[in-house]
Amino acid sequence: MKKLGLLLACCAFLTACAPEVGSKKWCDSMKEKPKGDWTANEATDFAKHCVFKTEE
């Protein structure tokens, strides 16, 4: 049970460090990530926030 708790805590910590979608840091990170590894949502968000830079 302790291992599961430790695993969940590590996952939460790592995801908390991810840059906010649409931020300059996120856009730069996506530019370095191979396009074949992008999810459909990442591709949509990249186009929306990094290419067309729409305001919400």
Side-chain angles (χ1 to χ4, degrees):
M1 192 65 173
K2 282 186 176 183
K3 288 182 182 180
L4 178 61
L6 182 60
L7 179 64
L8 291 173
C10 287
C11 288
F13 176 75
L14 291 175
T15 57
C17 296
E20 182 180 348
V21 173
S23 68
K24 179 171 176 11
K25 187 174 182 179
W26 182 85
C27 291
D28 291 343
S29 170
M30 290 301 293
K31 287 177 186 175
E32 293 181 16
K33 185 176 179 179
K35 307 275 187 285
D37 292 345
W38 290 13
T39 65
N41 286 341
E42 287 175 331
T44 302
D45 287 338
F46 182 83
K48 181 179 178 182
H49 297 289
C50 306
V51 176
F52 298 112
K53 299 180 184 182
T54 60
E55 296 292 326
E56 292 186 12

